[in-house]
Amino acid sequence: MAAILVRCPNCGSPAHRHLLPLLAQSRTECHRCDYLLVTCTRTGNVVEAHAPGLSDAALRERLTVPLSVAIAARSQGWGG
């Protein structure tokens, strides 16, 4: 399983994203700050999440929009 190098949304350090097609999941993890986000690649729903330093409410607010919609919005310059 190859990893894609991305920036951690929690601390900004290099993080790894693993695409797991058999599970229809994407797993992003940062070993520096212990960030973890596992999402369903079909629905964008969060399967598992751990983000030190972010409150549950802040994390839920960030994850209410499906991942595919958030990516499309960013590519169009619609939001942060």
Side-chain angles (χ1 to χ4, degrees):
M1 162 178 58
I4 301 166
L5 191 61
V6 296
R7 288 279 176 198
C8 173
N10 193 47
C11 73
S13 296
H16 295 99
R17 178 166 297 144
H18 302 274
L19 301 177
L20 309 166
L22 294 177
L23 299 173
Q25 293 180 348
S26 171
R27 178 184 182 99
T28 303
E29 54 192 335
C30 174
H31 296 291
R32 181 167 186 225
C33 73
D34 199 29
Y35 173 88
L36 172 67
L37 177 65
V38 180
T39 57
C40 175
T41 56
R42 293 184 186 134
T43 65
N45 290 341
V46 175
V47 175
E48 183 179 355
H50 176 73
L54 294 177
S55 69
D56 289 341
L59 186 57
R60 264 190 248 109
E61 183 179 317
R62 281 184 168 194
L63 300 175
T64 55
V65 177
L67 186 58
S68 57
V69 173
I71 291 170
R74 280 202 173 170
S75 69
Q76 297 295 321
W78 293 340

